[in-house]
Amino acid sequence: MASVQIADVRKAYGSTQVIHGVDIDIDDGEFVILVGPSGCGKSTLLRMIAGLENISGGEIRIGPKVVNDVPPKERDIAMVFQNYALYPHMTVADNMAFSMKLRKAPKAEIEERVSKAAQILGLGNLLERYPRQLSGGQRQRVAMGRAIVRDPQVFLFDEPLSNLDAKLRVQMRTEIKELHQRLKTTTVYVTHDQIEAMTMADKIVVMHDGIIEQMGAPLDLYDKP
Ligand code: ADP
Ligand code: ADP
């Protein structure tokens, strides 16, 4: 776990400024949701935390460390995408093990972490299947499994539920919250769905056109006239 500090962060694509001096302090273990309409800059901000986009100004810290110039692989983060990004030719177990294999982790440790993640996510009897043999919800669990196995300091979620049908979306909200209560990993989660934000977040950051419009606990934000 680690805190994440976003201080006066800006982003321009060419001459177009899309993030204008954003400040967010995320505590160790906090579950923060960035919410706002399409195009407001949520995904860009998340990708800057991941190191997948350069930042045009300001500073991002993960724990005590300024990560502005740290490449994605050296940031202790794991990202879950809406399109799952599973490897189609690998089994569930191999998908979950892949990043640890790349890092040349010992085989026994890989097996232990994969089996623990599978148990947490209810994937125990699906380990030998391929992604095409899974339902949407199961695929999303495998994508989360890949993130858990790495035991990162920070989880980043980019609209992870938007490809799922309404019923499964509600179920997965609960599962992701339970996962967070269990692991307490600092989480930054992007969605355009206000209900998702209300039901899942410790803190909601409402963005609009590259600025923060409101920030606070769900009840503090929406209880007021
Ligand atoms: P959101 O995730 O809230 O939908 P994005 O972060 O994807 O918003 O986009 C924020 C703004 O930045 C949008 O106006 C979008 O068109 C623009 N944008 C995103 N990526 C690029 C890019 N690679 N080049 C130019 N403009 C971009
Ligand atoms: P994995 O593939 O299990 O995510 P890797 O070790 O291949 O693990 O990931 C290396 C780095 O690449 C990660 O730290 C992350 O920042 C970034 N990354 C991981 N998955 C993706 C992805 N699907 N698209 C873009 N970047 C990614």
Side-chain angles (χ1 to χ4, degrees):
M1 287 201 303
S3 62
V4 177
Q5 285 178 312
I6 296 168
D8 196 24
V9 163
R10 277 158 281 142
K11 177 69 183 179
Y13 290 107
S15 59
T16 310
Q17 184 102 2
V18 299
I19 304 277
H20 307 267
V22 160
D23 296 280
I24 310 172
D25 281 338
I26 301 168
D27 290 336
D28 248 13
E30 201 171 20
F31 194 117
V32 170
I33 295 195
L34 309 180
V35 67
S38 178
C40 72
K42 308 178 295 291
S43 202
T44 300
L45 193 54
L46 196 75
R47 292 168 59 81
M48 289 194 287
I49 299 170
L52 301 172
E53 295 280 355
N54 292 324
I55 79 176
S56 310
E59 201 170 82
I60 297 180
R61 282 173 197 264
I62 299 178
K65 188 173 174 191
V66 177
V67 295
N68 290 24
D69 298 318
V70 176
K73 277 185 195 298
E74 289 163 32
R75 299 184 188 201
D76 196 358
I77 53 120
M79 196 153 170
V80 179
F81 299 87
Q82 69 172 277
N83 58 6
Y84 321 125
L86 302 180
Y87 302 108
H89 58 287
M90 287 185 201
T91 63
V92 167
D94 289 340
N95 262 285
M96 292 208 283
F98 184 69
S99 68
M100 290 191 74
K101 279 188 187 158
L102 280 187
R103 288 177 175 74
K104 309 234 185 304
K107 196 159 176 260
E109 188 189 342
I110 296 178
E111 279 172 10
E112 190 190 317
R113 288 219 210 167
V114 167
S115 94
K116 185 161 168 231
Q119 182 218 324
I120 290 173
L121 292 163
L123 293 168
N125 51 7
L126 302 176
L127 285 171
E128 295 314 314
R129 290 216 197 162
Y130 288 87
R132 66 172 182 280
Q133 300 168 314
L134 302 175
S135 71
Q138 290 166 339
R139 283 180 204 166
Q140 193 51 271
R141 278 186 206 106
V142 178
M144 290 195 279
R146 289 202 340 183
I148 294 176
V149 159
R150 293 168 50 166
D151 192 23
Q153 289 197 307
V154 181
F155 284 138
L156 303 176
F157 287 88
D158 194 357
E159 304 253 6
L161 306 186
S162 53
N163 281 342
L164 304 178
D165 65 46
K167 188 167 166 230
L168 194 52
R169 209 152 53 220
V170 171
Q171 183 188 333
M172 293 301 290
R173 273 183 210 151
T174 309
E175 288 188 21
I176 292 174
K177 262 320 266 187
E178 282 170 2
L179 187 67
H180 178 254
Q181 271 151 12
R182 177 154 180 176
L183 301 177
K184 299 265 191 313
T185 306
T186 307
T187 299
V188 188
Y189 184 111
V190 163
T191 181
H192 61 268
D193 183 336
Q194 289 203 6
I195 299 182
E196 221 165 277
M198 283 292 288
T199 52
M200 295 174 75
D202 295 326
K203 181 158 81 195
I204 298 179
V205 178
V206 184
M207 292 183 68
H208 191 80
D209 281 348
I211 60 162
I212 293 177
E213 215 169 45
Q214 280 183 295
M215 180 155 56
L219 289 176
D220 292 341
L221 283 190
Y222 293 103
D223 236 359
K224 295 177 184 139

